[in-house]
């Protein structure tokens, strides 16, 4: 990498640190090209990005950001994964690490708070943001549906009573 490429990398990573909420730091312990391609494909499908980084350049980019705490994790061959949805990036990284022992999750950072391996795994077990939103809408709409049913019940009963009287009057 020449200096202009290094500057561009630091600038792009600084932009990532400014615009993301979750970052997972992984160590590549001999992943082959096919495995890395598969991991990147899974990350992309989840709305996340996976990028190999030079430790010194990532440290420079993280300086002065909420992600500055990751610098102790930046030893050896590392790669970073990030996304706006914290659960999705953690879920993909943890699932891939379960099936491939050559990917080691070192930790992460969620909005400036450092996460260790167990915290990243706990985050991965949470439902995704879309699922949580659907559950919340379900919780909110259930009482409204019940209220509508209770409010409609007397009107329905009155309609049945009037209908019964009308049938009785026609029969007589």
């Amino acid at each position: 990498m020449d200096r202009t490429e290094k500057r561009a990398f630091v600038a792009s990573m600084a932009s990532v640190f400014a615009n993301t909420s979750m970052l997972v730091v992984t160590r590549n312990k001999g992943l082959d090209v096919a495995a890395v391609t598969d991991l990147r494909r899974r990350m992309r499908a989840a709305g996340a990005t996976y990028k190999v980084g030079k430790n010194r350049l990532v440290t420079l980019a993280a300086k002065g950001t909420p992600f500055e705490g990751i610098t102790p994790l930046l030893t050896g061959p590392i790669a970073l994964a990030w996304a706006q949805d914290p659960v999705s990036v953690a879920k993909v990284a943890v699932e891939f690490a379960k099936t491939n022992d050559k990917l080691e999750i070192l930790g992460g950072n969620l909005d400036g708070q450092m996460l260790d391996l167990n915290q990243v795994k706990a985050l991965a077990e949470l439902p995704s943001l879309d699922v949580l939103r659907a559950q919340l809408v379900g919780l909110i709409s259930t009482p409204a549906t019940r209220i509508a049913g209770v409010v409609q019940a007397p009107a329905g009963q009155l309609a049945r009573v009037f209908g019964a009287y009308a049938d009785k009057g026609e029969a007589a």
Side-chain angles (χ1 to χ4, degrees):
M1 260 184 161
D2 65 0
R3 285 184 180 206
T4 57
E5 290 174 330
K6 289 178 182 179
R7 282 191 200 115
F9 180 82
V10 170
S12 72
M13 290 308 298
S15 172
V16 165
F17 293 150
N19 297 319
T20 192
S21 62
M22 176 65 180
L23 182 77
V24 176
V25 181
T26 63
R27 178 172 292 136
N28 179 350
K29 298 189 302 184
L31 285 173
D32 59 359
V33 173
V36 172
T37 303
D38 181 40
L39 177 58
R40 286 178 197 228
R41 183 187 50 79
R42 291 183 190 187
M43 288 281 184
R44 238 185 334 257
T49 304
Y50 179 80
K51 188 168 191 154
V52 175
K54 289 188 173 274
N55 299 339
R56 187 173 161 286
L57 299 179
V58 173
T59 302
L60 287 172
K63 190 171 281 190
T65 69
F67 296 97
E68 194 168 3
I70 66 167
T71 54
L73 302 176
L74 303 177
T75 58
I78 58 105
L80 306 172
W82 64 87
Q84 289 300 322
D85 180 13
V87 175
S88 66
V89 68
K91 192 173 292 226
V92 172
V94 168
E95 287 175 4
F96 190 84
K98 282 181 187 176
T99 60
N100 195 327
D101 61 343
K102 293 182 179 179
L103 181 74
E104 178 186 3
I105 298 173
L106 301 175
N109 190 308
L110 178 61
D111 289 328
Q113 180 182 354
M114 285 301 299
L115 305 174
D116 64 8
L117 173 61
N118 293 328
Q119 291 169 321
V120 172
K121 285 182 178 179
L123 187 62
E125 293 173 3
L126 293 174
S128 71
L129 193 57
D130 291 336
V131 171
L132 287 174
R133 286 179 182 154
Q135 289 174 346
L136 184 61
V137 168
L139 287 172
I140 291 171
S141 68
T142 299
T145 305
R146 289 184 182 161
I147 289 171
V150 168
V151 170
Q152 276 185 324
Q157 290 173 346
L158 280 174
R160 284 191 289 278
V161 168
F162 290 146
Y165 278 125
D167 291 343
K168 186 177 178 182
E170 290 176 5

